[in-house]
Amino acid sequence: MSSQVLSQQPATAVVSEPVLRAHLAFLADDLLEGRGTGQRGGDLAVRYLETQASLIGLQPLPSDQVKGFRQPVRLVGSKTLPESTVRFEINGQAYSPQLGTDVVFGSSGGKTDVAFDAPVVFVGYGVRAPEEHWDDFKGTDLKGKLLVMMVNDPQPTAEEPNRFAGKALTYYGRWTYKFEEAVRQGAAGVLLIHTTPSATYAWNVPQTSFSHERFSIANTGNAFEGWMQDAVAQQLFSKAGQQLDELRARAETRDFSPVNLNAIAHVKLKSEVRRVEQFNVIGMVPGTDPILKKEAVVYSAHWDHLGIETRADGSTHIFNGAVDNASGSAALLAMAQAAVHHPAKRTQIFFWPAAEEQYLLGSAAYVSNPPWPLAKTVADLNLDSMNFVGKTRDIGIEGSERSSLHANAVNVAKKMGLQIAQAAPDLGGAFFRADHFNFARAGVPAFNVGSAVFSGDGHFDFDQHGIADANSKMLGFKNDYHTERDKYYPEWDLSGMQQQAQFTLNLGYDVANAKSMPVWNKGDAFGQQRQAVSAK
C-alpha cells in the first residue's frame, strides 16, 4: 500500500453510514425471505455474511469449533399441526379453547406425537428464588401435571419496594425461565397466562411465534408448552370453582402454595419435525499486543428473523426483520470494515449468532462450545433492533451498570460528546432477551448497547426538531415488532444507527486497549459464574 493511500486512512476506525445502509437494505430485502431459521433465506444470509467477512478482511478463528467463518448449530425444528388440541374436563364438563385464537402451544426437543391426560395445577408465578426467600412450589410433587403459570415476577410492595428488582423484570419473570422450571419440576407440560401488561407485549407475539416453526436443541424442553389468553384462563378457573384474580393476589405472597384445579387436561399434540444445521458466522481482527491478543472483545448481532410463511389460503407472508435485526447485522459488517484497518491490543471478534429468535440458540451454542476461551473473553457488546429514527444527544447503556463496563461506556460517551440516557426500569426484561445474556450467564461482562426500543420508555434526546415525533416513531416500533411491517425504508435517517454503531465500536476499543479486563460488580450472580469459568 502506498504512503499516499496510508495517509488517507482515518486516524481511528470510522463506521460508514453508506456501507451500513447498503448492508441493511440487502439483508432486509424480500430476496432473503425474512432470514428464517432453517429456511433458504437464512442460508442466503449466512452466505452473504461470510462472503462479506472474507471481503472485508476478517480472519477465521483458530479453533476446531469453526470451519472458515462458520460454527455449526444443530437444531430440531417443530411445527404444531392444526389437528392438535387441548381439552379440559372440569366437573364432568368439557372446555376446548381454539388453537391459535385462544391458546398456542408446541413441543420442544423433536417429539412428533404427544398425548397425555394430566391434572391441572396453578403454580402462581412458578418461581423458585432462594435469594428472595421465595418458593411457589413448596415441595409439591408436580411430576406429570400440567402447570398453569403467571408471567412476570412478584411485584414490589410498600414493605418491600425492591423485591425482585422492584418494577424491573428479573429473569424469573421471563417465559424462558418458566418453561425451564417446568422441566425441572418434571411437569407433563406448561401453559402461561398472557396479559399484555404482564408479558409486556400483545398476544400477537406468542401467537406469531407458535404459528411458525419453532426450534430447539434435540431432547430438551417440554413435551407441551405454550400460552393461553387471559379470558381463557378466567373461564377455566371459573368452571373449576376458582377466581383467577383471587389466586393472583395470593400468588403475590410468600405463603402461596400450588392450587389443584380439579381439572384434567387432555392433550393431543402432533408436530411436523425435522433436523437442521444452522450456522453462526464469526470472524476476527487479531490483536497487536503479544500478550493481550490472547484475550478478545466480542461484538454480536443476530442475523436471523422469522422468515417466510405460506398460510392455509395460499398467501405468502415475509417477515423482513429490518430493525430486528438486519440493523445490527449490517452495523457489525460496517464496524468490521472499519476495524480491520485499526487493530486493537486485544483481539476483536465479530459474531453473528443464528437462531436468536428461537430462544437465543446460536449464542447458547457458542458459549457451550466456545471457539475462543470464555476465560479470555473480556466482554460481549451486543446490537439488536437499532435506532432507525435519527441522531441523538445521548446514548442508552442499560445493563452496563452490572459491571465495570459502565465506567468504560461513560468514558466513551464523554469523548463523543454524548450524555447518558436516563435509565428507566427494565419492565420488559430487555437484559434477558438478547444474545449478550448467554455470555453474561457464562460469566462474561456483557450488555445490549444503545437501543431503547425494548428497554425503559424508549425516550431519547433526538438531535433534531420534533423530538416528540421522533420518540413516537421509536416507541411505535413496538407495534411493528415481529410483524410484516418491520421493513426497510430508503428514506430512513440512519445517522442515529451509525452513531450507535460508532459508539459500540469505540467502546470495544476502550475495552480492548485497557490494561485490565472488565469485572462484574461485587456480589453480582454473573460474577460468581465468571470466577467459576476462570478457575477451570
Side-chain angles (χ1 to χ4, degrees), residues 17 21-22 24-25 28-29 322 388 487-495:
E17 190 269 3
R21 183 181 292 275
L24 172 58
D29 193 86
F388 61 98
K487 296 182 177 183
Y488 168 71
Y489 296 93
E491 62 268 24
W492 274 354
D493 177 356
L494 297 188
S495 60

Side-chain angles (χ1 to χ4, degrees), residues 139-155:
T140 305
D141 183 2
L142 297 170
K143 292 182 177 64
K145 310 291 177 62
L146 176 63
L147 309 187
V148 176
M149 296 185 186
M150 300 155 57
V151 290
N152 218 294
D153 48 27
Q155 299 301 293

Side-chain angles (χ1 to χ4, degrees), residues 254-268:
R254 289 184 174 85
D255 294 333
F256 173 83
S257 293
V259 177
N260 190 331
L261 295 183
N262 296 316
I264 301 296
H266 303 282
V267 170
K268 292 184 178 180

Side-chain angles (χ1 to χ4, degrees), residues 408-428:
N408 296 98
V410 170
N411 178 54
V412 170
K414 184 177 181 180
K415 290 180 179 179
M416 293 180 66
L418 294 170
Q419 299 295 315
I420 300 301
Q422 184 175 357
D426 186 3
L427 303 179

Side-chain angles (χ1 to χ4, degrees), residues 132-310:
E132 294 281 354
H133 308 288
W134 197 281
D135 181 5
D136 283 327
F137 303 105
K138 304 295 191 295
T140 305
D141 183 2
L142 297 170
K143 292 182 177 64
K145 310 291 177 62
L146 176 63
L147 309 187
V148 176
M149 296 185 186
M150 300 155 57
V151 290
N152 218 294
D153 48 27
Q155 299 301 293
T157 65
E159 295 77 19
E160 293 184 282
N162 296 316
R163 76 176 187 180
F164 287 91
K167 292 182 179 180
L169 187 72
T170 69
Y171 188 58
Y172 294 113
R174 290 282 292 143
W175 62 266
T176 47
Y177 167 81
K178 296 173 191 298
F179 284 0
E180 292 166 0
E181 190 59 46
V183 172
R184 288 189 285 267
Q185 295 294 327
V190 55
L191 285 174
L192 307 183
I193 302 172
H194 177 273
T195 70
T196 297
S198 63
T200 72
Y201 40 74
W203 174 250
N204 74 285
V205 175
Q207 185 181 46
T208 300
S209 295
F210 278 82
S211 69
H212 288 73
E213 184 179 23
R214 298 166 63 242
F215 291 85
S216 61
I217 305 299
N219 302 315
T220 63
N222 297 287
F224 177 85
E225 59 189 23
W227 296 68
M228 67 170 78
Q229 292 257 40
D230 182 63
V232 173
Q234 295 280 2
Q235 288 192 53
L236 172 62
F237 279 61
S238 178
K239 290 176 183 294
Q242 300 283 353
Q243 295 299 315
L244 177 55
D245 290 342
E246 290 181 5
L247 293 182
R248 279 181 168 136
R250 283 167 54 183
E252 295 292 346
T253 70
R254 289 184 174 85
D255 294 333
F256 173 83
S257 293
V259 177
N260 190 331
L261 295 183
N262 296 316
I264 301 296
H266 303 282
V267 170
K268 292 184 178 180
L269 170 55
K270 292 187 177 294
S271 303
E272 183 180 297
V273 174
R274 65 186 177 120
R275 297 179 183 274
V276 300
E277 185 175 57
Q278 296 294 274
F279 297 96
N280 294 328
V281 179
I282 316 168
M284 71 172 186
V285 178
T288 59
D289 186 276
I291 302 299
L292 294 181
K293 69 179 182 181
K294 298 176 182 178
E295 300 173 355
V297 174
V298 177
Y299 308 94
S300 58
H302 74 90
W303 59 256
D304 65 302
H305 195 57
L306 301 181
I308 188 170
E309 175 186 19
T310 301

Side-chain angles (χ1 to χ4, degrees), residues 9-30:
Q9 296 288 332
T12 57
V14 177
V15 177
S16 166
E17 190 269 3
V19 169
L20 193 163
R21 183 181 292 275
H23 291 309
L24 172 58
F26 181 81
L27 289 167
D29 193 86
D30 281 355

